[in-house]
Amino acid sequence: MKTKIIINPISGGGKNKDIEDIINKYLDKQRFQYDIHITTHPLHAKEIARQAIKEDYKAIIGVGGDGTINEIASEVIGTNISIGIIPNGSGNGFAFHFGTKKNIKESVLQLNSSQERTIDTGIANGESFINVSGIGFDAYIAKLFSISIERGLLNYIKLIFKNLGYKAQDYTIEYNDQRRKINAILISFANASQYGNNFKISPNAKTDDGLLDFVIINDMPRWKVPMFLLKIARGKIQDSRFVEIIKAKSMEIISNEEIIHLDGEPKSLKNDLTIKIKPQSLKILVPNE
């Protein structure tokens, strides 16, 4: 299988310096006829993936976090090229949803026996996402996290607690022939189950059911936040009385918000928001175990 491997060297704070050596040692050269390309600037992974499509590659393996995989997927969606993942970001939610190991060597070995699956993807105002995206508090935190020097789960949680003064916002949502006004801390659009680090925003989300999980988190007393985060960590968020999960093919969101995040990457929002599912649109290599 003619394979392009794209490594983002700054994902996860650039902590793993020996990734190329691990790949060269453990990746099955009988299955993957590969070459390696290192990204050097923002959106470089998109450029490399676009060129790989032109050069008739059959698979692209991304080494990085959800943002890197999103860049690659945004070019690959709707093609016959398969995506593989070696997780090396701060959260790695998309990879962990499918049971990919956090350890680099173990995730490479998983690729050797991986199987191809076809999954859904999402579109928000014309831009693709594959994992979890959203508007409101999580988009606000994503923006702060993107400019933070510190990476990792601990810093993410620190940012949450530093910004507990964030006020719930008014939204008008339209879905399944309904129109409602709500006041919420955030609305997540989940194709897969988790933000990353096994923090599951929609534990029962499926990537091949033709539906997105729209997770509405309503306002709550701030002293309840620690227990609420514990529910997310335990995959029990659906049990909270502050949470509503709507399964739908699409949703319109009208608000005054100026930012969303797509797979953890903040994006400016200039118009009202239209989110849709794109069924069976991406081929990925998932662990066969």
Side-chain angles (χ1 to χ4, degrees):
M1 188 186 300
K2 186 180 179 184
T3 303
K4 175 72 72 177
I5 298 176
I6 302 175
I7 298 176
N8 182 346
I10 64 172
S11 286
K15 56 186 180 295
N16 290 306
K17 305 296 185 184
D18 56 351
I19 290 175
E20 281 192 73
D21 292 338
I22 294 172
I23 291 171
N24 288 328
K25 185 173 182 180
Y26 294 106
L27 190 63
D28 184 353
K29 296 175 179 60
Q30 297 298 313
R31 184 177 188 189
F32 300 101
Q33 179 191 346
Y34 67 89
D35 58 84
I36 295 174
H37 209 134
I38 311 294
T39 63
T40 59
H41 54 269
L43 301 181
H44 194 191
K46 281 177 69 72
E47 299 169 19
I48 300 167
R50 193 179 307 132
Q51 187 61 34
I53 294 169
K54 292 178 181 177
E55 295 175 3
D56 202 29
Y57 279 77
K58 302 304 181 188
I60 300 176
I61 297 172
V63 184
D66 288 333
T68 302
I69 306 306
N70 174 289
E71 286 188 36
I72 297 168
S74 66
E75 297 296 325
V76 171
I77 288 168
T79 74
N80 285 319
I81 295 176
S82 299
I83 286 183
I85 308 169
I86 299 173
N88 192 41
S90 295
N92 308 304
F94 189 64
F96 291 168
H97 172 86
F98 296 101
T100 304
K101 302 290 188 183
K102 186 175 185 178
N103 178 273
I104 299 294
K105 174 187 169 183
E106 290 179 357
S107 65
V108 170
L109 292 174
Q110 284 181 307
L111 278 171
N112 292 338
S113 59
S114 60
Q115 58 184 340
E116 185 183 84
R117 278 181 55 188
T118 304
I119 66 165
D120 307 330
T121 59
I123 306 172
N125 282 10
E127 294 197 53
S128 298
F129 66 92
I130 55 175
N131 187 42
V132 177
S133 302
I135 189 169
F137 185 60
D138 59 348
Y140 179 69
I141 294 298
K143 182 178 181 180
L144 295 178
F145 191 70
S146 72
I147 58 177
S148 172
I149 296 173
E150 297 180 65
R151 309 302 290 170
L153 175 62
L154 184 58
N155 184 47
Y156 193 87
I157 292 174
K158 282 182 184 177
L159 288 173
I160 290 174
F161 279 98
K162 283 181 181 177
N163 291 277
L164 288 181
Y166 181 91
K167 289 181 169 49
Q169 304 293 312
D170 292 325
Y171 300 95
T172 299
I173 58 174
E174 297 180 4
Y175 65 96
N176 297 345
D177 297 322
Q178 297 185 56
R179 181 183 175 95
R180 294 169 52 196
K181 293 184 182 297
I182 62 172
N183 182 258
I185 296 173
L186 64 84
I187 307 173
S188 279
F189 345 126
N191 184 40
S193 59
Q194 61 169 283
Y195 287 125
N197 295 296
N198 290 315
F199 268 55
K200 295 181 178 178
I201 187 67
S202 191
N204 298 318
K206 292 179 169 44
T207 56
D208 58 1
D209 62 355
L211 299 168
L212 291 168
D213 284 20
F214 293 92
V215 184
I216 300 170
I217 298 181
N218 296 304
D219 205 5
M220 70 182 72
R222 296 304 179 255
W223 63 269
K224 288 185 175 286
V225 169
M227 287 302 295
F228 187 77
L229 290 175
L230 191 59
K231 279 185 182 291
I232 296 177
R234 289 176 172 173
K236 300 291 186 182
I237 188 176
Q238 71 275 16
D239 296 338
S240 171
R241 65 186 178 89
F242 299 106
V243 173
E244 178 183 5
I245 299 178
I246 298 166
K247 290 183 179 290
K249 292 181 179 180
S250 65
M251 181 177 283
E252 302 275 342
I253 301 177
I254 302 166
S255 75
N256 294 319
E257 294 287 88
E258 297 180 348
I259 189 169
I260 61 172
H261 79 89
L262 299 179
D263 293 333
E265 300 296 319
K267 306 278 184 178
S268 295
L269 180 63
K270 296 177 182 176
N271 305 300
D272 294 327
L273 190 53
T274 301
I275 308 105
K276 297 179 180 179
I277 192 75
K278 191 170 184 180
Q280 298 290 291
S281 52
L282 180 65
K283 296 181 184 297
I284 63 167
L285 299 172
V286 299
N288 187 22
E289 54 187 47

